[in-house]
Amino acid sequence: MASKDADPSLGYLTRKDTEVKLPRPTRVKNKTPAPIQITAEQILREARERQEAEIRPPKQKITDSTELADYRLRKRKEFEDLIRRVRWNVSVWIKYAQWEESQKDFNRARSVWERALEVDYRNHTLWLKYAEVEMKNKFINHARNVWDRAVTLLPRVDQLWYKYIHMEEMLGNVAGARQIFERWMSWMPDQQGWLSYIKFELRYNEVERARAIYERFVQCHPKVGAWIKYAKFEMKNGEIVRARNVYERAVEKLADEEDAEQLFVAFAEFEERCKETERARCIYKFALDHIPKGRAEDLYRKFVAFEKQYGDKEGIEDAIVGKRRFQYEGEVRKNPMNYDTWFDYIRLEESVGSKERIREAYERAIANVPPAEEKRYWQRYIYLWINYALYEELDAGDTERTRDVYRECLKLIPHEKFSFAKIWLLAAQFEIRQLNLKGARQILGNAIGKAPKDKIFKKYIEIELQLGNIDRCRKLYEKYLEWAPENCYAWSKYAELERSLSETERARSIFELAITQPALDMPELLWKAYIDFEISEGEYEQTRGLYERLLDRTKHLKVWISYAKFEASAMEENNGGSDSPQDGVQEEKKECIQRARRV
């Protein structure tokens, strides 16, 4: 009967039966150190002494041919069995072939090599070892045959070509080696292959041949390094004109490449060595204009060093400006939204004074529009446009471009969300300076239509006042008050205008309209202006009426004091201004004092 804990997967044994029982760890009771201590070195030495001697097979001496044949048969059988087991293992084939070679049986060795190549002809190690065996035993034609087959089957393995050529060169067969190089070059190998061919020709002083190979080399590898090597080769042979020609061709072909910087530096240094400083300077400048700033770090450094060595004061300054320009380029590339960097960069360009560069800097700067339509992000940005417009107007003197700058800027600002009064006003003032009144009015009209602001109204009214267009001023004040009926400043200014035109009734009606407005931002100013207006007109009754109406609205202490002072001053005014007899004056005086007291 199987117990209920039995597990069928464990052959009906319980878990307890199948547990591994480990011996109990011995508990050390006495933990005091032993009287004699043993070091690790002693333990190892003992182990070494107790080791048994290694058993080596005895050396056999073969005395007669029968024994030798027997030995060879046995070894061959071992190798053949091994090959049958691991046919794909190259090292077994190599050992077998080398053993046959050690027995001086070359035909058999060759047979083994050939069988090995049938298994894996792509393994270049086999070809190398096979050819080395033939060369070592001075079978030159056999070796040639092996190399030939190797390079035909594996033309992309450079080592085979190098060894084959080396063998031919060691044998003094220069023409043969050249032929092999030509075969190799038809496969368009990497740069090293071409350079070794050139070195080979130069070893035999074949300069013209080497030059022809260089020509083919730069066609096969049109890289900067290849052209520079070609030019240096010409320079080494004292062919300055040819070297310059090589550099010029390289610049034509590779001016837009990634590593064109190296080419320009090499070309400039070549001209420097030839004492052609003007040519070198032209090359540096051409390079700095054509290579993107991010890749021209080395070039700038070299150019500054060159100018310090050969340049005059102006040249050195130019180079240093170039270096600073490079730093700014790096900064604006990292963070194009940093407008302060753009301001510094533009200031640098303006100090140099090249119109094209300044314009390019401005255009690039204004292209970085703030991502969010919030005014705080635009506040720095808008000054780029303002500076651009002022530069075009004042420094460049190009009115059409200035007009375009203002127009584009106004188009760009999202007026429905926020606007900048200063831009509208600057654009209008520019048009006035160009004596284009119609244009200025159009701009200010647009501003009032799209984004009305206090500043714009005030300036527009001021302009029209200076021009003496009173009707336009009235229209503008009406528009202004329609837009901001609570603006006390506007009301009082409008009334002031009418008063300055001696239109007392109009001024009074404006004040009346103003004080009936339900909401005003600074009513005390407006009332004060109205009261002052009435006093200046000498309408004391009207003024009293105003004070009474004001006191209906507010019971402020200052109003009472002002009213009392008015009554007192009215008395003096009357006193000063009347020609009535003395008694009448006294009467009026008394009355005024009464009134003031009553207040």
Side-chain angles (χ1 to χ4, degrees):
M1 183 72 184
S3 75
K4 61 175 184 286
D5 294 338
D7 187 347
S9 63
L10 300 174
Y12 293 101
L13 293 168
T14 59
R15 294 264 172 204
K16 202 170 181 187
D17 298 336
T18 57
E19 268 175 12
V20 179
K21 290 185 179 71
L22 294 168
R24 260 235 201 89
T26 48
R27 305 251 320 266
V28 181
K29 284 179 185 143
N30 181 7
K31 288 185 180 172
T32 56
I36 299 170
Q37 295 290 314
I38 300 173
T39 61
E41 189 189 352
Q42 260 173 301
I43 296 169
L44 288 171
R45 204 185 303 121
E46 270 178 30
R48 184 94 183 92
E49 281 165 7
R50 289 179 189 174
Q51 225 172 18
E52 288 175 10
E54 198 182 328
I55 300 165
R56 286 195 182 141
K59 282 190 178 169
Q60 286 177 308
K61 279 190 180 171
I62 297 168
T63 48
D64 62 350
S65 54
T66 322
E67 210 174 332
L68 178 63
D70 190 38
Y71 164 70
R72 281 179 177 167
L73 184 66
R74 191 167 70 252
K75 280 298 270 183
R76 278 185 193 125
K77 188 172 182 310
E78 274 172 28
F79 276 121
E80 288 294 345
D81 288 347
L82 201 52
I83 282 166
R84 251 201 309 281
R85 269 210 319 280
V86 284
R87 189 160 178 268
W88 37 265
N89 192 339
V90 176
S91 62
V92 174
W93 287 104
I94 291 172
K95 276 178 191 159
Y96 188 8
Q98 282 171 344
W99 179 80
E100 288 292 9
E101 182 207 346
S102 71
Q103 299 301 312
K104 297 283 179 273
D105 196 339
F106 295 113
N107 283 336
R108 274 179 184 277
R110 265 182 214 121
S111 157
V112 174
W113 284 117
E114 292 297 337
R115 282 167 63 200
L117 288 171
E118 271 173 26
V119 172
D120 184 8
Y121 74 90
R122 281 205 187 86
N123 189 336
H124 64 276
T125 318
L126 277 176
W127 290 104
L128 288 171
K129 299 258 189 212
Y130 186 7
E132 270 168 23
V133 166
E134 296 291 17
M135 278 154 57
K136 197 161 71 186
N137 295 298
K138 300 197 170 50
F139 295 115
I140 299 301
N141 281 336
H142 277 295
R144 263 193 199 123
N145 184 2
V146 173
W147 286 127
D148 220 53
R149 285 162 59 205
V151 296
T152 310
L153 288 169
L154 304 172
R156 288 274 170 237
V157 180
D158 293 351
Q159 203 181 357
L160 298 173
W161 291 104
Y162 284 129
K163 293 265 189 185
Y164 188 8
I165 290 159
H166 181 63
M167 180 186 90
E168 291 295 3
E169 211 179 334
M170 295 299 281
L171 294 168
N173 180 7
V174 177
R178 190 171 289 129
Q179 220 172 344
I180 297 160
F181 263 124
E182 283 302 329
R183 267 176 71 191
W184 186 15
M185 294 307 121
S186 66
W187 285 97
M188 293 190 173
D190 62 1
Q191 292 200 11
Q192 208 43 52
W194 288 95
L195 293 173
S196 52
Y197 188 10
I198 290 162
K199 274 184 196 157
F200 164 78
E201 291 296 9
L202 290 175
R203 274 202 294 277
Y204 300 101
N205 289 327
E206 297 279 3
V207 177
E208 276 308 314
R209 276 180 189 274
R211 188 169 287 130
I213 296 162
Y214 261 121
E215 281 297 335
R216 286 160 59 198
F217 172 36
V218 293
Q219 297 308 320
C220 175
H221 293 284
K223 295 267 189 318
V224 168
W227 285 98
I228 291 174
K229 282 191 176 83
Y230 185 9
K232 279 183 179 167
F233 156 77
E234 292 293 13
M235 183 76 178
K236 207 171 174 184
N237 292 321
E239 299 277 1
I240 288 176
V241 179
R242 277 193 162 146
R244 185 171 292 131
N245 181 27
V246 170
Y247 275 123
E248 282 164 6
R249 280 164 57 204
V251 168
E252 267 172 44
K253 286 190 174 157
L254 306 175
D256 303 325
E257 288 289 310
E258 276 278 319
D259 42 3
E261 182 196 3
Q262 288 173 308
L263 176 65
F264 285 118
V265 169
F267 193 2
E269 283 174 350
F270 158 76
E271 292 294 6
E272 231 176 289
R273 274 199 294 278
C274 300
K275 304 281 183 285
E276 296 275 5
T277 49
E278 270 314 304
R279 274 173 178 272
R281 185 173 287 116
C282 289
I283 292 161
Y284 275 125
K285 286 188 174 164
F286 176 82
L288 291 172
D289 288 343
H290 281 71
I291 291 179
K293 304 286 184 289
R295 296 210 299 264
E297 210 163 323
D298 197 33
L299 199 61
Y300 270 116
R301 210 169 40 249
K302 289 264 172 38
F303 182 39
V304 172
F306 168 79
E307 282 296 359
K308 281 179 182 168
Q309 196 174 348
Y310 299 103
D312 49 7
K313 185 177 172 217
E314 209 173 291
I316 294 169
E317 276 175 10
D318 198 31
I320 289 164
V321 164
K323 198 169 183 187
R324 280 185 49 210
R325 191 177 283 139
F326 179 71
Q327 286 167 352
Y328 284 132
E329 280 294 340
E331 283 178 39
V332 296
R333 201 170 46 249
K334 269 188 227 144
N335 180 9
M337 294 295 170
N338 184 356
Y339 300 120
D340 290 343
T341 310
W342 282 112
F343 285 122
D344 294 343
Y345 190 4
I346 290 164
R347 208 171 295 129
L348 171 75
E349 292 296 4
E350 283 178 351
S351 69
V352 177
S354 155
K355 268 190 194 178
E356 286 311 307
R357 275 187 177 280
I358 296 169
R359 277 182 182 147
E360 188 200 349
Y362 270 121
E363 289 295 341
R364 284 173 57 206
I366 58 179
N368 298 300
V369 183
E373 289 187 350
E374 280 184 47
K375 189 160 182 175
R376 64 200 169 108
Y377 297 123
W378 286 65
Q379 273 162 342
R380 292 292 288 151
Y381 171 69
I382 215 72
Y383 276 99
L384 286 170
W385 283 97
I386 293 172
N387 288 1
Y388 189 10
L390 292 176
Y391 165 75
E392 288 293 1
E393 184 188 352
L394 304 175
D395 297 357
D398 190 335
T399 52
E400 274 313 305
R401 277 188 82 112
T402 312
R403 196 165 281 129
D404 289 345
V405 171
Y406 279 125
R407 193 180 305 124
E408 286 305 315
C409 179
L410 289 170
K411 238 190 243 173
L412 187 69
I413 299 168
H415 298 293
E416 59 282 353
K417 298 216 172 134
F418 58 84
S419 185
F420 291 94
K422 61 172 84 63
I423 288 281
W424 291 105
L425 295 176
L426 283 166
Q429 282 160 340
F430 161 73
E431 292 297 357
I432 291 169
R433 282 196 293 278
Q434 305 310 314
L435 307 179
N436 176 8
L437 257 180
K438 190 175 171 223
R441 281 190 179 129
Q442 205 175 350
I443 289 168
L444 289 168
N446 276 345
I448 289 170
K450 281 186 183 171
K453 284 190 157 197
D454 282 341
K455 225 191 236 175
I456 295 171
F457 277 115
K458 285 175 193 172
K459 200 74 191 166
Y460 195 179
I461 291 165
E462 190 188 315
I463 291 166
E464 293 296 5
L465 253 182
Q466 283 166 351
L467 295 168
N469 291 327
I470 304 303
D471 282 342
R472 273 181 187 275
C473 287
R474 283 185 180 136
K475 272 210 183 76
L476 285 172
Y477 270 123
E478 282 163 22
K479 278 257 166 49
Y480 192 176
L481 292 168
E482 265 174 43
W483 173 66
E486 73 287 344
N487 190 333
C488 292
Y489 171 84
W491 286 107
S492 50
K493 279 287 177 191
Y494 188 8
E496 208 177 292
L497 167 75
E498 293 295 6
R499 186 183 155 207
S500 67
L501 299 169
S502 305
E503 294 274 4
T504 316
E505 280 312 309
R506 285 189 93 119
R508 191 168 284 127
S509 33
I510 289 164
F511 274 126
E512 282 299 333
L513 256 177
I515 58 177
T516 57
Q517 292 301 319
L520 291 167
D521 53 2
M522 296 168 84
E524 63 279 6
L525 284 184
L526 189 64
W527 282 92
K528 187 174 183 308
Y530 192 3
I531 289 165
D532 289 351
F533 162 73
E534 291 293 12
I535 292 171
S536 66
E537 290 297 324
E539 298 282 357
Y540 297 120
E541 283 308 315
Q542 292 264 23
T543 312
R544 280 192 194 97
L546 275 178
Y547 269 121
E548 294 298 338
R549 280 161 68 191
L550 179 53
L551 286 168
D552 287 345
R553 294 191 180 203
T554 176
K555 296 279 186 277
H556 199 282
L557 172 69
K558 278 189 179 170
V559 179
W560 291 105
I561 293 169
S562 168
Y563 189 7
K565 278 184 179 166
F566 155 71
E567 287 293 9
S569 66
M571 169 187 76
E572 279 159 29
E573 298 262 333
N574 282 354
N575 199 5
S578 70
D579 299 328
S580 54
Q582 198 67 26
D583 291 347
V585 171
Q586 289 297 328
E587 282 300 308
E588 271 181 28
K589 219 178 190 180
K590 272 183 188 166
E591 205 177 311
C592 284
I593 290 166
Q594 287 292 311
R595 280 203 197 107
R597 282 204 185 114
R598 195 167 67 246
V599 171

